[in-house]
Amino acid sequence: MELYGKSFLKLMDLSPETIEALLALSARLKDEKKRGIPHKLCPGKNVALIFEKTSTRTRCAFEVAAADLGMSTVYLDPSCSQIGKKESLKDTARVLGRMFDAIEYRGFGQEIVEQLAEYSGVPVYNGLTNESHPTQVLADFLTIREHFGKIAGVKMVYLGDARYNMGNSLLVGCAKMGMHFIISSPKEYFPDEGLVEKCRRIAETTGAVIEFCEDPIKAVEGTDVVYTDMWVSMGEPDKIWSRRISDLMPYQVNRRLMEAAGRHARFMHCLPSLHDLGTEIGRGLYDLFGHPELEVTDEVFESEQSIVFDEAENRMHTIKAVMAATLCPEI
């Protein structure tokens, strides 16, 4: 894999062969965990977990995976570190690099995780930035392979806002892995043209197909995977939410859309999801805009076609593979 001692920052950095090797390692480690076979491949290692944005799946995945590998973790949130306040990011990276064997970062700009990698001297893992979410896409690919028996040639439609981390990372990942990837959204929610062009060039070498379709029903016809993500982020003004919800409501994943996709199609979502009124955010948005369900209906989310919890579990197995590959020389 040639990942030992290296960082895991974005999928664009990895060859299709490396992604395949990580998925194979993920499947092996998942099988061993299910069968109760210990795999403490990195005993005595220590990992710093920097979370400037909170998380359930990412934090739990890193902590459980590290424990399974024989490692210890230290969790740092904005309230208990001096990152960017009394100490620069560059200085923080050099301090943590002297104390830890690896660093995970979940937060804001991609430049932050890149700078951590540049100055720390140890492997750095991107747990999520505004621009990229590579650990999620590895979990998505493992899930797709488990359900369809392959990745290359699988057709995926991503509906909603494709301008940020999930749209970007799925675009890159699908291009690298030879998939048929369709983005269905209004044009203003398409990814950056420069990134699209890079991915089209990659697709020429892998056999991938990249398409855009503003008609959601047409886009999902015959697809294997229907994928969506949350439309709103906390901290944004209400007027931005109002326009985005209005623009994207035609792209809601509902029964009509899944029927157009066909019974063989599977629904995926990186989570969390506003599929009901079971959250404070969901209830607040309902009070403001009157929609009890946003990017996906509860009917689809809870249906037999939904594989979102397989996907969520696989975050841990794929993150474990990334840490093992970068910290264990025998891998």
Side-chain angles (χ1 to χ4, degrees), residues 90-135:
K90 181 177 175 181
D91 291 352
T92 299
R94 290 181 289 186
V95 169
L96 295 180
R98 298 291 185 98
M99 298 182 182
F100 292 91
D101 299 289
I103 300 167
E104 179 273 347
Y105 173 83
R106 178 183 174 93
F108 298 97
Q110 181 71 16
E111 70 278 1
I112 298 174
V113 75
E114 300 277 353
Q115 194 172 11
L116 281 170
E118 180 180 359
Y119 289 102
S120 67
V122 298
V124 172
Y125 313 125
N126 182 352
L128 173 143
T129 62
N130 294 340
E131 297 86 356
S132 184
H133 200 359
T135 59

Short mmCIF file of all heavy atoms in Angstrom, two decimals, residues 90-135:
data_model
loop_
_atom_site.label_atom_id
_atom_site.label_comp_id
_atom_site.label_asym_id
_atom_site.label_seq_id
_atom_site.Cartn_x
_atom_site.Cartn_y
_atom_site.Cartn_z
N LYS A 90 0.79 25.86 13.51
CA LYS A 90 2.13 25.34 13.20
C LYS A 90 2.85 24.87 14.46
O LYS A 90 3.44 23.79 14.49
CB LYS A 90 2.93 26.45 12.50
CG LYS A 90 4.33 26.08 12.09
CD LYS A 90 4.96 27.26 11.35
CE LYS A 90 6.41 27.00 11.02
NZ LYS A 90 7.02 28.17 10.33
N ASP A 91 2.77 25.67 15.52
CA ASP A 91 3.42 25.28 16.77
C ASP A 91 2.72 24.09 17.40
O ASP A 91 3.37 23.18 17.94
CB ASP A 91 3.43 26.46 17.75
CG ASP A 91 4.35 27.59 17.31
OD1 ASP A 91 5.09 27.38 16.33
OD2 ASP A 91 4.32 28.66 17.94
N THR A 92 1.39 24.08 17.35
CA THR A 92 0.63 22.96 17.90
C THR A 92 1.01 21.66 17.20
O THR A 92 1.19 20.62 17.85
CB THR A 92 -0.88 23.20 17.73
OG1 THR A 92 -1.24 24.39 18.45
CG2 THR A 92 -1.69 22.04 18.25
N ALA A 93 1.13 21.72 15.89
CA ALA A 93 1.49 20.52 15.13
C ALA A 93 2.83 19.96 15.59
O ALA A 93 3.00 18.75 15.77
CB ALA A 93 1.54 20.85 13.63
N ARG A 94 3.80 20.86 15.81
CA ARG A 94 5.13 20.39 16.20
C ARG A 94 5.15 19.86 17.62
O ARG A 94 5.89 18.91 17.94
CB ARG A 94 6.14 21.53 16.02
CG ARG A 94 6.38 21.82 14.53
CD ARG A 94 7.39 22.90 14.30
NE ARG A 94 6.87 24.22 14.66
CZ ARG A 94 7.55 25.35 14.44
NH1 ARG A 94 8.74 25.32 13.88
NH2 ARG A 94 7.01 26.51 14.77
N VAL A 95 4.31 20.42 18.49
CA VAL A 95 4.22 19.89 19.86
C VAL A 95 3.57 18.51 19.86
O VAL A 95 4.10 17.55 20.43
CB VAL A 95 3.40 20.86 20.76
CG1 VAL A 95 3.07 20.18 22.09
CG2 VAL A 95 4.18 22.15 20.99
N LEU A 96 2.43 18.39 19.19
CA LEU A 96 1.71 17.11 19.18
C LEU A 96 2.53 16.03 18.48
O LEU A 96 2.49 14.86 18.86
CB LEU A 96 0.35 17.27 18.51
CG LEU A 96 -0.66 18.18 19.23
CD1 LEU A 96 -1.96 18.24 18.44
CD2 LEU A 96 -0.92 17.71 20.66
N GLY A 97 3.27 16.42 17.45
CA GLY A 97 4.09 15.45 16.74
C GLY A 97 5.20 14.85 17.59
O GLY A 97 5.68 13.75 17.31
N ARG A 98 5.62 15.59 18.65
CA ARG A 98 6.62 15.06 19.57
C ARG A 98 6.03 14.09 20.59
O ARG A 98 6.75 13.32 21.22
CB ARG A 98 7.30 16.22 20.32
CG ARG A 98 8.06 17.21 19.45
CD ARG A 98 9.30 16.60 18.84
NE ARG A 98 10.09 17.57 18.11
CZ ARG A 98 11.15 18.21 18.59
NH1 ARG A 98 11.56 17.97 19.83
NH2 ARG A 98 11.81 19.07 17.84
N MET A 99 4.71 14.17 20.80
CA MET A 99 4.06 13.39 21.85
C MET A 99 3.25 12.22 21.33
O MET A 99 3.02 11.25 22.05
CB MET A 99 3.14 14.28 22.69
CG MET A 99 3.85 15.41 23.40
SD MET A 99 2.68 16.37 24.41
CE MET A 99 3.80 17.62 25.07
N PHE A 100 2.78 12.33 20.09
CA PHE A 100 1.86 11.33 19.54
C PHE A 100 2.45 10.68 18.30
O PHE A 100 3.28 11.25 17.60
CB PHE A 100 0.51 11.97 19.21
CG PHE A 100 -0.26 12.41 20.41
CD1 PHE A 100 -0.13 13.70 20.90
CD2 PHE A 100 -1.11 11.54 21.07
CE1 PHE A 100 -0.84 14.12 22.03
CE2 PHE A 100 -1.82 11.94 22.19
CZ PHE A 100 -1.69 13.23 22.67
N ASP A 101 1.96 9.48 18.01
CA ASP A 101 2.37 8.75 16.82
C ASP A 101 1.53 9.12 15.60
O ASP A 101 1.94 8.87 14.46
CB ASP A 101 2.25 7.24 17.07
CG ASP A 101 3.14 6.80 18.21
OD1 ASP A 101 4.37 6.79 18.04
OD2 ASP A 101 2.60 6.50 19.30
N ALA A 102 0.35 9.72 15.83
CA ALA A 102 -0.52 10.14 14.74
C ALA A 102 -1.51 11.16 15.29
O ALA A 102 -1.72 11.27 16.50
CB ALA A 102 -1.25 8.96 14.12
N ILE A 103 -2.12 11.92 14.38
CA ILE A 103 -3.07 12.97 14.75
C ILE A 103 -4.28 12.88 13.82
O ILE A 103 -4.13 12.77 12.60
CB ILE A 103 -2.45 14.38 14.61
CG1 ILE A 103 -1.21 14.52 15.51
CG2 ILE A 103 -3.47 15.46 14.91
CD1 ILE A 103 -0.37 15.75 15.19
N GLU A 104 -5.46 12.88 14.41
CA GLU A 104 -6.70 13.00 13.63
C GLU A 104 -7.24 14.40 13.79
O GLU A 104 -7.19 14.98 14.88
CB GLU A 104 -7.74 11.98 14.11
CG GLU A 104 -9.07 12.04 13.37
CD GLU A 104 -10.06 13.05 13.96
OE1 GLU A 104 -9.82 13.53 15.09
OE2 GLU A 104 -11.08 13.34 13.31
N TYR A 105 -7.76 14.98 12.70
CA TYR A 105 -8.36 16.32 12.76
C TYR A 105 -9.73 16.29 12.10
O TYR A 105 -9.89 15.80 10.97
CB TYR A 105 -7.48 17.34 12.04
CG TYR A 105 -8.15 18.70 11.95
CD1 TYR A 105 -8.10 19.60 13.01
CD2 TYR A 105 -8.86 19.07 10.80
CE1 TYR A 105 -8.74 20.84 12.93
CE2 TYR A 105 -9.51 20.30 10.72
CZ TYR A 105 -9.44 21.17 11.80
OH TYR A 105 -10.08 22.39 11.72
N ARG A 106 -10.72 16.86 12.80
CA ARG A 106 -12.06 17.06 12.25
C ARG A 106 -12.45 18.51 12.51
O ARG A 106 -12.51 18.94 13.67
CB ARG A 106 -13.07 16.12 12.91
CG ARG A 106 -14.52 16.30 12.41
CD ARG A 106 -15.46 15.40 13.17
NE ARG A 106 -16.85 15.66 12.81
CZ ARG A 106 -17.52 15.02 11.86
NH1 ARG A 106 -16.93 14.07 11.16
NH2 ARG A 106 -18.78 15.31 11.60
N GLY A 107 -12.67 19.27 11.43
CA GLY A 107 -12.98 20.67 11.65
C GLY A 107 -13.31 21.43 10.39
O GLY A 107 -14.22 21.06 9.65
N PHE A 108 -12.53 22.46 10.12
CA PHE A 108 -12.92 23.44 9.11
C PHE A 108 -12.11 23.30 7.82
O PHE A 108 -12.22 22.31 7.14
CB PHE A 108 -12.85 24.83 9.73
CG PHE A 108 -13.79 24.99 10.89
CD1 PHE A 108 -13.35 24.82 12.19
CD2 PHE A 108 -15.14 25.24 10.69
CE1 PHE A 108 -14.23 24.93 13.27
CE2 PHE A 108 -16.03 25.36 11.75
CZ PHE A 108 -15.57 25.20 13.05
N GLY A 109 -11.28 24.25 7.46
CA GLY A 109 -10.64 24.25 6.16
C GLY A 109 -9.65 23.11 5.95
O GLY A 109 -8.95 22.69 6.87
N GLN A 110 -9.57 22.65 4.70
CA GLN A 110 -8.62 21.60 4.33
C GLN A 110 -7.19 22.05 4.59
O GLN A 110 -6.32 21.22 4.91
CB GLN A 110 -8.80 21.26 2.84
CG GLN A 110 -7.89 20.16 2.32
CD GLN A 110 -8.23 18.78 2.82
OE1 GLN A 110 -9.32 18.54 3.33
NE2 GLN A 110 -7.30 17.84 2.68
N GLU A 111 -6.94 23.34 4.52
CA GLU A 111 -5.58 23.84 4.75
C GLU A 111 -5.10 23.55 6.17
O GLU A 111 -3.90 23.44 6.42
CB GLU A 111 -5.49 25.34 4.45
CG GLU A 111 -6.20 26.27 5.42
CD GLU A 111 -7.70 26.41 5.18
OE1 GLU A 111 -8.22 25.76 4.23
OE2 GLU A 111 -8.35 27.17 5.92
N ILE A 112 -6.04 23.40 7.11
CA ILE A 112 -5.65 23.13 8.50
C ILE A 112 -5.07 21.73 8.62
O ILE A 112 -3.99 21.53 9.19
CB ILE A 112 -6.87 23.29 9.44
CG1 ILE A 112 -7.39 24.73 9.38
CG2 ILE A 112 -6.49 22.90 10.87
CD1 ILE A 112 -8.68 24.95 10.17
N VAL A 113 -5.76 20.73 8.07
CA VAL A 113 -5.26 19.37 8.16
C VAL A 113 -3.98 19.20 7.34
O VAL A 113 -3.07 18.46 7.72
CB VAL A 113 -6.36 18.35 7.75
CG1 VAL A 113 -6.58 18.32 6.26
CG2 VAL A 113 -6.06 16.97 8.27
N GLU A 114 -3.88 19.93 6.24
CA GLU A 114 -2.66 19.88 5.43
C GLU A 114 -1.48 20.47 6.20
O GLU A 114 -0.36 19.95 6.14
CB GLU A 114 -2.88 20.65 4.12
CG GLU A 114 -3.99 20.12 3.23
CD GLU A 114 -3.58 18.96 2.36
OE1 GLU A 114 -2.37 18.63 2.32
OE2 GLU A 114 -4.47 18.37 1.70
N GLN A 115 -1.73 21.56 6.95
CA GLN A 115 -0.64 22.17 7.72
C GLN A 115 -0.23 21.29 8.90
O GLN A 115 0.95 21.19 9.23
CB GLN A 115 -1.07 23.56 8.22
CG GLN A 115 0.09 24.40 8.73
CD GLN A 115 -0.31 25.83 9.04
OE1 GLN A 115 -1.50 26.17 9.08
NE2 GLN A 115 0.67 26.69 9.26
N LEU A 116 -1.20 20.64 9.52
CA LEU A 116 -0.86 19.69 10.58
C LEU A 116 0.06 18.60 10.05
O LEU A 116 1.04 18.21 10.69
CB LEU A 116 -2.13 19.06 11.15
CG LEU A 116 -2.96 19.87 12.14
CD1 LEU A 116 -4.29 19.18 12.40
CD2 LEU A 116 -2.21 20.09 13.45
N ALA A 117 -0.24 18.11 8.86
CA ALA A 117 0.59 17.06 8.27
C ALA A 117 1.97 17.58 7.91
O ALA A 117 2.98 16.87 8.07
CB ALA A 117 -0.10 16.50 7.02
N GLU A 118 2.04 18.81 7.45
CA GLU A 118 3.32 19.39 7.04
C GLU A 118 4.28 19.55 8.20
O GLU A 118 5.48 19.31 8.07
CB GLU A 118 3.09 20.74 6.36
CG GLU A 118 4.36 21.42 5.90
CD GLU A 118 4.11 22.76 5.23
OE1 GLU A 118 2.93 23.17 5.10
OE2 GLU A 118 5.10 23.42 4.85
N TYR A 119 3.76 19.96 9.38
CA TYR A 119 4.65 20.35 10.48
C TYR A 119 4.74 19.34 11.62
O TYR A 119 5.64 19.41 12.44
CB TYR A 119 4.22 21.70 11.05
CG TYR A 119 4.51 22.84 10.11
CD1 TYR A 119 3.50 23.41 9.34
CD2 TYR A 119 5.81 23.33 9.96
CE1 TYR A 119 3.77 24.44 8.46
CE2 TYR A 119 6.08 24.36 9.08
CZ TYR A 119 5.06 24.91 8.33
OH TYR A 119 5.34 25.93 7.45
N SER A 120 3.83 18.38 11.68
CA SER A 120 3.84 17.47 12.83
C SER A 120 4.89 16.37 12.72
O SER A 120 5.38 15.88 13.73
CB SER A 120 2.46 16.82 13.00
OG SER A 120 2.18 15.95 11.92
N GLY A 121 5.19 15.94 11.49
CA GLY A 121 6.14 14.86 11.31
C GLY A 121 5.58 13.47 11.56
O GLY A 121 6.32 12.49 11.59
N VAL A 122 4.26 13.36 11.78
CA VAL A 122 3.61 12.07 11.99
C VAL A 122 2.40 11.98 11.06
O VAL A 122 1.93 13.00 10.54
CB VAL A 122 3.16 11.88 13.46
CG1 VAL A 122 4.36 11.91 14.40
CG2 VAL A 122 2.12 12.94 13.86
N PRO A 123 1.86 10.78 10.83
CA PRO A 123 0.66 10.67 10.00
C PRO A 123 -0.51 11.47 10.58
O PRO A 123 -0.75 11.47 11.78
CB PRO A 123 0.35 9.17 10.04
CG PRO A 123 1.67 8.52 10.27
CD PRO A 123 2.39 9.44 11.21
N VAL A 124 -1.21 12.16 9.70
CA VAL A 124 -2.39 12.94 10.07
C VAL A 124 -3.57 12.41 9.27
O VAL A 124 -3.46 12.13 8.08
CB VAL A 124 -2.16 14.44 9.78
CG1 VAL A 124 -3.46 15.23 9.99
CG2 VAL A 124 -1.05 14.99 10.68
N TYR A 125 -4.72 12.26 9.95
CA TYR A 125 -5.92 11.72 9.33
C TYR A 125 -7.00 12.80 9.24
O TYR A 125 -7.29 13.48 10.23
CB TYR A 125 -6.47 10.54 10.14
CG TYR A 125 -5.42 9.53 10.53
CD1 TYR A 125 -5.23 9.18 11.87
CD2 TYR A 125 -4.60 8.94 9.58
CE1 TYR A 125 -4.29 8.24 12.24
CE2 TYR A 125 -3.63 8.01 9.94
CZ TYR A 125 -3.47 7.67 11.27
OH TYR A 125 -2.52 6.76 11.64
N ASN A 126 -7.61 12.91 8.08
CA ASN A 126 -8.70 13.85 7.88
C ASN A 126 -10.02 13.20 8.30
O ASN A 126 -10.55 12.35 7.60
CB ASN A 126 -8.75 14.27 6.41
CG ASN A 126 -9.84 15.29 6.12
OD1 ASN A 126 -10.68 15.59 6.97
ND2 ASN A 126 -9.84 15.82 4.92
N GLY A 127 -10.53 13.62 9.48
CA GLY A 127 -11.82 13.12 9.95
C GLY A 127 -12.99 13.87 9.38
O GLY A 127 -14.14 13.43 9.52
N LEU A 128 -12.76 14.99 8.75
CA LEU A 128 -13.73 15.80 8.00
C LEU A 128 -13.19 17.22 7.96
O LEU A 128 -12.76 17.76 8.98
CB LEU A 128 -15.12 15.80 8.64
CG LEU A 128 -16.15 16.76 8.02
CD1 LEU A 128 -17.56 16.12 8.01
CD2 LEU A 128 -16.23 18.09 8.76
N THR A 129 -13.21 17.81 6.75
CA THR A 129 -13.01 19.25 6.60
C THR A 129 -14.14 19.79 5.75
O THR A 129 -14.97 19.01 5.24
CB THR A 129 -11.65 19.57 5.93
OG1 THR A 129 -11.66 19.00 4.60
CG2 THR A 129 -10.48 19.03 6.73
N ASN A 130 -14.17 21.09 5.56
CA ASN A 130 -15.21 21.67 4.73
C ASN A 130 -15.18 21.11 3.30
O ASN A 130 -16.21 20.98 2.65
CB ASN A 130 -15.05 23.19 4.65
CG ASN A 130 -15.30 23.86 5.99
OD1 ASN A 130 -15.93 23.29 6.87
ND2 ASN A 130 -14.78 25.07 6.15
N GLU A 131 -13.98 20.76 2.84
CA GLU A 131 -13.80 20.36 1.46
C GLU A 131 -13.76 18.85 1.23
O GLU A 131 -13.95 18.40 0.10
CB GLU A 131 -12.51 20.96 0.89
CG GLU A 131 -12.49 22.48 0.83
CD GLU A 131 -12.01 23.13 2.13
OE1 GLU A 131 -11.77 22.40 3.13
OE2 GLU A 131 -11.89 24.36 2.16
N SER A 132 -13.48 18.07 2.27
CA SER A 132 -13.20 16.66 2.04
C SER A 132 -13.60 15.79 3.23
O SER A 132 -13.46 16.20 4.38
CB SER A 132 -11.70 16.49 1.75
OG SER A 132 -11.38 15.17 1.43
N HIS A 133 -14.07 14.57 2.93
CA HIS A 133 -14.44 13.61 3.97
C HIS A 133 -14.02 12.21 3.52
O HIS A 133 -14.86 11.33 3.27
CB HIS A 133 -15.93 13.68 4.22
CG HIS A 133 -16.37 13.13 5.54
ND1 HIS A 133 -15.50 12.59 6.46
CD2 HIS A 133 -17.62 13.03 6.11
CE1 HIS A 133 -16.17 12.18 7.52
NE2 HIS A 133 -17.45 12.42 7.34
N PRO A 134 -12.72 11.96 3.42
CA PRO A 134 -12.26 10.70 2.82
C PRO A 134 -12.56 9.44 3.61
O PRO A 134 -12.79 8.38 3.03
CB PRO A 134 -10.75 10.91 2.67
CG PRO A 134 -10.40 11.93 3.73
CD PRO A 134 -11.60 12.83 3.79
N THR A 135 -12.58 9.51 4.95
CA THR A 135 -12.87 8.30 5.72
C THR A 135 -14.31 7.84 5.49
O THR A 135 -14.60 6.64 5.49
CB THR A 135 -12.62 8.49 7.22
OG1 THR A 135 -13.45 9.56 7.71
CG2 THR A 135 -11.16 8.82 7.51
#
